[in-house]
Amino acid sequence: MTARGDLVAAVRSLPTSRVPGDGATGVRWLALFDLAAAGDVSGARLCEAHLDATAILAEAGHAPRPGALYGVWASVRPDGRDVELVDGSLRGVKSFASGVGLVDRALIEVMCDGRRQLVDAAVAVDPVGDRWHSDDGRRTATIDWHNQGLVATNTGTVCFDAADDVETVGPPDWYLERPGFWHGACGPAACWGGGAAGLMSERTSGGDPHRLAAAGAIEADVWSMRALLRQAGDEADRTPDDLDAARWRARALRHAIHELATGVVDTFMRAYGPRPMVEHGGAGRRIADVQLYLRQHHGRADLEALAAGT
């Protein structure tokens, strides 16, 4: 599991500007790229969520709780069941909750009177045997993650039983209906690209011309990803409130970074074979992390939406 101290230090290393579109969006996304490239991909994934959460709070006119680490828990279970907000209290189950035992609070999308509502809620839990519990017993969690990719994000299922310390953020259905949602969707793409770029540090030495050619291809793809993030950030800064532009740009950027990052991983694996992955654990962990993280891309559904202009 990612150490909380390391996560706090990484969060503090990121730009202090809190809202994409404020004039330094490219700097924000490149900082996430560099964080994922230089360090732990799981840690970068958690930092990206914290940065997104503070931006969402700022958009809604809220301030984050002092010193708190945040997650964003917006995944909906396949069976449609979700946490409900009833009389100011949370009840139900939230899956794909990242940062169990690490984050103090989370922005959670829940159901309230038949509509989607974002809330800022306390989620801190401590390990008790093979489960996690809050001090008041109103939150429990299990780590049901059966994949080596992103295992250090400590992602699991959290159960709420009349959990309070909850504050609504924005009006109903607000979370998905704002340009900031699409600006925020570019943050994971920055981490995808950075995670793949980090493979450059895992290269083995040697002057084999095929490996040198592969290294050159990777360097060109990394340059392209950084250029795309910078360009997308500049565009977001010029029209931060344009919902249609934000939606289109996020889908285009995510597709482009997905293809380039996938190409970097494929090039690395074909050029260097299994040795870096079995003799140097960092390469194997990084590839597992990146390949799973890239599954957040919506693939052909996004491409169809791009072509349709929706």
Side-chain angles (χ1 to χ4, degrees):
M1 188 177 80
T2 300
R4 180 182 167 88
D6 293 340
L7 186 58
V8 170
V11 164
R12 289 175 177 170
S13 74
L14 293 171
T16 56
S17 63
R18 288 167 50 197
V19 183
D22 65 356
T25 307
V27 173
R28 175 193 187 94
W29 292 340
L30 286 171
L32 288 170
F33 182 99
D34 291 339
L35 184 65
D40 173 44
V41 179
S42 289
R45 159 75 181 84
L46 294 171
C47 287
E48 184 278 322
H50 174 86
L51 205 62
D52 189 34
T54 59
I56 295 166
L57 288 168
E59 282 189 59
H62 294 239
R65 301 293 177 92
L69 288 177
Y70 275 84
V72 179
W73 297 353
S75 177
V76 178
R77 292 165 59 93
D79 60 12
R81 294 169 52 209
D82 208 348
V83 175
E84 293 188 354
L85 177 64
V86 180
D87 297 328
S89 187
L90 297 182
R91 290 184 181 272
V93 177
K94 179 60 76 171
S95 300
F96 274 82
S98 292
V100 168
L102 290 168
V103 299
D104 307 292
R105 305 187 66 82
L107 299 188
I108 310 172
E109 198 182 23
V110 303
M111 294 300 298
C112 181
D113 297 327
R115 300 179 69 181
R116 308 299 300 177
Q117 175 68 57
L118 194 68
V119 300
D120 176 355
V123 296
V125 289
D126 295 311
V128 179
D130 60 351
R131 294 176 65 86
W132 301 71
H133 299 265
S134 60
D135 291 339
D136 59 10
R138 294 184 174 183
R139 296 179 300 277
T140 61
T142 54
I143 307 300
D144 42 6
W145 195 257
H146 304 292
N147 191 296
Q148 290 304 304
L150 298 177
V151 67
T153 60
N154 228 39
T155 298
T157 298
V158 179
C159 301
F160 294 90
D161 181 12
D164 48 17
D165 194 5
V166 177
E167 181 179 10
T168 58
V169 177
D173 300 323
W174 171 79
Y175 172 61
L176 297 176
E177 296 179 351
R178 59 199 170 86
F181 172 79
W182 295 98
H183 297 325
C186 298
C191 294
W192 301 344
L199 287 171
M200 293 178 69
S201 66
E202 302 289 347
R203 295 181 309 185
T204 57
S205 60
D208 178 275
H210 300 294
R211 290 183 177 176
L212 286 174
I218 290 173
E219 289 187 10
D221 286 346
V222 169
W223 181 88
S224 297
M225 289 190 286
R226 293 182 63 86
L228 285 166
L229 290 165
R230 190 178 297 109
Q231 171 68 20
D234 289 346
E235 291 182 9
D237 289 338
R238 286 197 294 270
T239 58
D241 300 320
D242 188 329
L243 176 60
D244 289 339
R247 183 188 295 117
W248 191 96
R249 181 171 48 248
R251 285 173 169 153
L253 178 70
R254 284 165 66 93
H255 169 71
I257 297 292
H258 175 275
E259 296 302 293
L260 287 163
T262 299
V264 166
V265 173
D266 183 60
T267 298
F268 179 88
M269 294 178 72
R270 283 189 288 107
Y272 294 98
R275 189 176 298 277
M277 289 179 283
V278 298
E279 292 186 352
H280 310 284
R285 286 192 300 272
R286 183 172 292 275
I287 288 172
D289 287 346
V290 172
Q291 288 183 327
L292 183 60
Y293 206 173
L294 284 167
R295 300 285 66 76
Q296 282 192 351
H297 179 44
H298 298 148
R300 299 186 68 83
D302 272 359
L303 295 179
E304 181 183 1
L306 272 174
T310 58

